[in-house]
Each structure stands twice: as C-alpha cells, then as structure tokens.
Amino acid sequence: MPVISEDSFFFIKVEAICHRPAITCPVDLGLVEMSRIMKRDNISGIVVVDQETPIGMVSLRDLRDLVAEGVDDITTLTVRDIMHLGLITIRRTDYLFKAIFLMAKHNIHRLVVVDEFDHLVGVMTDTDLFRIQTRSPMYLIQQIDSANTIAQLSMFARKMTGMLQYAVKTTADVQSLVQLIAHFNDAITRRLIHILEHNEGMTLPAEAAYLALGSEGREEQTLRTDQDSAIVYQDNLAPETVDGIRRFAERISLALNEVGVPLCPGNMMASNPAWCHSISEWKHLVTHWITSPGPDQTVFFGVFQDLRVLHGDIALEEELRNYICECTHNHAIFFPNMARTITGFKAPLGLFGRLLVEKSGQGRGMIDLKKGGLFALTRGISLLALEERICGGTTWSKIERLRKCSHIAPGELDLLEESFTFLVRMRLEKQLSALARGLEPGNFVDPKALPDKDKDQLRAAFRGASAMLDILKSHYQLDLVAR
C-alpha cells in the first residue's frame, strides 16, 4: 500500500495553492502612478497586462536600479520603458514540482499563473511554496517529536488539519491518507506520554499497556473526534502499582483533551475504571459480552475487538486478541447474534435509489455516513474476519485476507471495498470542509449540497452497505435463526 511521502506533496496542482491575486497595471501607465499602486498594496512586483494577458513584470529592484542610474526625469517614463518581457508563467493545472524547477532555473521568487487561454489567474511566490512545505508530513512529524510541553504539542497537532487539507488534493489514495492520519495520531499520543513522563513524572508501569480502540485501533480514523481507549495490566500487581496505573489513565485522558482530542461522550476511555482492568478481568468481561450479547454488550465488544497497544507491554495485545478469537469460536451462537445486530442498521436508500435523510435530531435533513454505511461495512467485515480468526488490522487488510480464506465471492468483496473506500473519503473531505468553516467535524452530509456525480457514487456505496447486510443474512442464515 503506497504511503504519502514528502515528494508527493509536490504533485499538488498550482491552482490548489495559488490564492494570491495579481496586482496589475497597463503598459502605458506612468512609473509614478505605478509606484503608488505598489505602495498601496505593499507588493514587491507588479504584473503588466495587455487586456487580460500578462506581458511583463516590474519589480522593486527595477525601480532601485533606475534611481541608481541617475535618470533625469522619472516622471516622463512609463511602465513600457522598464518592464521585463519574456515573462515566466505557469499554468494553474501544472504541478508544484514545475513551479519549483522554474524558480530555481531562472533564479526568481515569483511566477505568474495563467489559465488555458493564457489569461491571468494570480501570482505564486516562493513564500507560498515554503508554506506548503511546512505542511508536509516530514516537517510536521519533526515538530511533533520536538514538542516539550502540552501547549507546544497542541499547536503542532492543530497544524495536522492544514496538512491534510493539502494531502487530499494530491493523487494519494484513501488508504494512504488514512494511514497518514493514524501515523500522526499515534505520534501525538506517544509524544504526549513522553511529555507527561519528563515534565510530571507520570509513567505507565512496565506491566501495563495503553490501548487504542475502535477506528483508532483499526488505524483508520479520519479526523480524531473523540477518545476510544483502555488500559490492561498483568494480574496480581501490588495495589500501589494499580493506583499508579489509574493515575496515569486519568492524566492521559485529560492531557489528550488539552491537545484537542475530546473526551469520549460514551465514557469508553482509559480514565473510566470500567475500561481499566487486569488481563483476567478483561477476559471475564469479553466472555460476558460474547455470551450475553445485549445492546450494550455488542457495542462494547465492537469497540474493544480491534484493540491495539499504543504504549506499553505489546504481549498483552496478542494475549487479548487470541482470547477474543478462542472465546468467540467456543460460543458459535455469537456470530449470528452479532450479525443480527449489524443488520439492524439499514442503508438510507428508498425506492428507485432515493437517498433517505434523517427526520429529526441534529442531523435532520442530512445523511449519517457512519450509521448509514460505514458501521455495517466495518462491523460486518470484522465479523467475517473474526470467524476466520483474523483479529486486528484495518478494514482494507481484513478484506484482503478474506480473499484468501473465505467463501465470499471476489466480486462481492470488491464491492464492499469500493463502498467502504468511497464513504471514508467522503467523510474525510466533509470533516475537513467543516473545520475550514469553523464547524465541528462529524459524520453527516447534506445530499442537496452534493454534485450529481457524488450522489450517484454515494448511492452505489450504500448499495454496497446493503450488500454487506445481505451477505450476513445469507452466511449466518438469519432468517432461520430464532430471535
């Protein structure tokens, strides 16, 4: 699977970062009036145009050289007399690597951006290029790793959104984008743990592990909207050691909130004593969730099953995953019971493919991408994978492993993968758009605001979610299993 690299950021198109309007003047304008325009707009260069077409450039250096040459009467000169012809231009659809090459080749600090008709679009400077370089993954990860306080880390964490705004405009695939987000989320949490240890003496004992759960555990979060976490520790630890573990759990949750990762509304996080247990206690809870699958138990199991150690004893991850596999297979009724719960989440499609919106609540008039499709796909694929003793990993990796060992047809798996990928990308794009407008990121999308092409793709993705439900019903023979 490809990973977004430093270089891939230079395959962004020029139009994605060219937001600087061009200040222009006509060719026969007097130099004094031209200078007043440059002073008014506080610019170091002005584009000379003939109608809409740029034909030359005048810079502050040109004016300086003119004064140094001792011209008798500058008021008699026009722009035509000193402008540079042979303007270096770049099309708005060109890639950034071309802009970098042109600036280096001609030793210039700005490029005139034109459209396909050679009409002026704007100006791009070397400052614009530096700004995007500071949003590149390598630059940002170095900043995160250098943070020595929670305030610094919080500032660098906020930059991730800007970096992602540019990343989605590259040719990178969705899996790479999500992998990038997971990498940064992990880096932020681990640096935060380092800061707590060095600044506050707050450490997690060696016999314990801090777990990421849910979408973060699967390494496929889009934006980090809240905390899903837990702590596991070895049995028979001294009471004072357990007390230290609980203090760490409380502190890390509060610190993550300070960094910008909100507390979990459902309180499914390490600071809650219900999510901080010894290995034996966790096994007991997992057994209870599997053998008594009520509404709460299925939710808890669904969040917990994709656990991943972010910090601490990695052996505890393997032990818990192995136990989940063994316990579910020793209680075979678990699979149809869980499948029935998943099939309760219907895709929002009506007759003739009409998109159905929420009738009430916060998302009234909109579609919930998570409830409408992502939940069924992630949980359904996880269930089929768990039946094959596949525990952990991303939804994409589970699909790939299912291709080799399950009875699901390749065409059906292709449909599930395509549907999941589209829904993840749409959710990421809408969350970034919400943040850009000062709104909270979420899972809702307004179908009225979507182009027809996106609506068609959304319908196709929801058909994939419906296909997931049909696969579960058929595979587990839900119509024949007693409720």
Side-chain angles (χ1 to χ4, degrees), residues 198-224:
H198 283 262
N199 293 1
E200 303 178 16
M202 184 65 65
T203 61
L204 182 67
E207 302 90 344
Y210 177 79
L211 307 175
L213 309 176
S215 59
E216 189 176 0
R218 293 192 301 273
E219 298 182 80
E220 59 187 31
Q221 253 185 346
T222 46
L223 294 187
R224 207 170 184 185

Side-chain angles (χ1 to χ4, degrees), residues 361-425:
Q362 181 184 6
R364 183 179 179 184
M366 295 190 285
I367 295 172
D368 188 333
L369 297 177
K370 183 176 181 180
K371 185 176 75 172
L374 286 169
F375 180 89
L377 289 164
T378 54
R379 293 292 173 83
I381 290 165
S382 287
L383 188 66
L384 294 172
L386 186 56
E387 188 178 19
E388 300 291 342
R389 296 183 179 273
I390 301 167
C391 190
T394 69
T395 300
W396 289 290
S397 69
K398 289 172 183 175
I399 289 173
E400 287 308 304
R401 294 180 68 181
L402 284 171
R403 292 183 189 279
K404 301 173 184 177
C405 62
S406 76
H407 300 295
I408 310 302
E412 291 180 320
L413 289 172
D414 288 342
L415 175 60
L416 300 182
E417 183 174 21
E418 290 166 6
S419 300
F420 176 71
T421 299
F422 176 80
L423 290 173
V424 169
R425 184 170 196 106

Side-chain angles (χ1 to χ4, degrees), residues 140 151 153-163 188 258-259:
L140 188 53
L153 189 61
S154 179
M155 178 180 65
F156 297 146
R158 287 195 297 271
K159 289 187 177 183
M160 187 175 76
T161 302
M163 183 268 296
I188 289 167
E258 290 180 63
V259 169

Side-chain angles (χ1 to χ4, degrees), residues 7-18 89-103 111-114 124 129 132 166-172:
D7 294 337
S8 70
F9 275 73
F10 300 114
F11 286 86
I12 300 172
K13 291 187 177 181
V14 166
E15 62 187 353
I17 69 165
C18 180
T89 64
I90 190 168
R91 294 198 184 278
R92 63 183 178 185
T93 53
D94 286 334
Y95 291 110
L96 288 190
F97 73 82
K98 184 175 181 181
I100 296 169
F101 172 77
L102 287 173
M103 285 187 183
L111 289 170
V112 173
V113 182
V114 297
M124 185 173 67
L129 290 175
I132 191 173
Y166 283 101
V168 296
K169 296 170 186 173
T170 70
T171 55

Side-chain angles (χ1 to χ4, degrees), residues 173-361:
D173 63 284
V174 179
Q175 292 185 57
S176 295
L177 290 171
V178 171
Q179 184 183 58
L180 181 68
I181 294 169
H183 178 67
F184 276 97
N185 286 341
D186 288 358
I188 289 167
T189 301
R190 287 172 176 145
R191 189 62 187 180
L192 182 60
I193 292 171
H194 171 86
I195 291 171
L196 293 179
E197 179 177 353
H198 283 262
N199 293 1
E200 303 178 16
M202 184 65 65
T203 61
L204 182 67
E207 302 90 344
Y210 177 79
L211 307 175
L213 309 176
S215 59
E216 189 176 0
R218 293 192 301 273
E219 298 182 80
E220 59 187 31
Q221 253 185 346
T222 46
L223 294 187
R224 207 170 184 185
T225 51
D226 59 38
Q227 300 178 37
D228 284 325
S229 61
I231 281 184
V232 57
Y233 49 89
Q234 296 286 1
D235 294 324
N236 303 317
L237 296 184
E240 57 270 22
T241 303
V242 175
D243 288 342
I245 290 171
R246 296 192 185 280
R247 285 195 299 272
F248 173 88
E250 292 171 1
R251 185 66 187 103
I252 188 66
S253 293
L254 291 174
L256 281 169
N257 189 51
E258 290 180 63
V259 169
V261 188
L263 303 175
C264 174
N267 207 18
M268 287 183 283
M269 52 189 178
S271 57
N272 180 355
W275 291 86
C276 182
H277 295 294
S278 70
I279 186 74
S280 293
E281 290 169 338
W282 274 120
K283 289 178 180 179
H284 177 77
L285 270 174
V286 167
T287 303
H288 174 64
W289 294 339
I290 289 170
T291 57
S292 304
D296 289 341
Q297 287 72 31
T298 55
V299 170
F300 296 154
F301 181 85
V303 171
F304 190 75
Q305 67 172 323
D306 288 312
L307 62 95
R308 177 171 62 95
V309 168
L310 262 180
H311 174 72
D313 187 352
I314 191 69
L316 292 167
E317 172 183 303
E318 183 177 3
E319 187 172 350
L320 279 172
R321 284 184 174 178
N322 289 339
Y323 186 80
I324 288 170
C325 283
E326 291 304 319
C327 192
T328 52
H329 283 77
N330 289 337
H331 299 86
I333 194 64
F334 160 81
F335 290 98
N337 281 340
M338 182 62 80
R340 190 181 302 282
T341 298
I342 297 168
T343 57
F345 289 81
K346 309 297 182 185
L349 287 175
L351 290 174
F352 311 111
R354 184 167 63 93
L355 292 169
L356 303 179
V357 300
E358 297 288 319
K359 303 276 187 202
S360 60

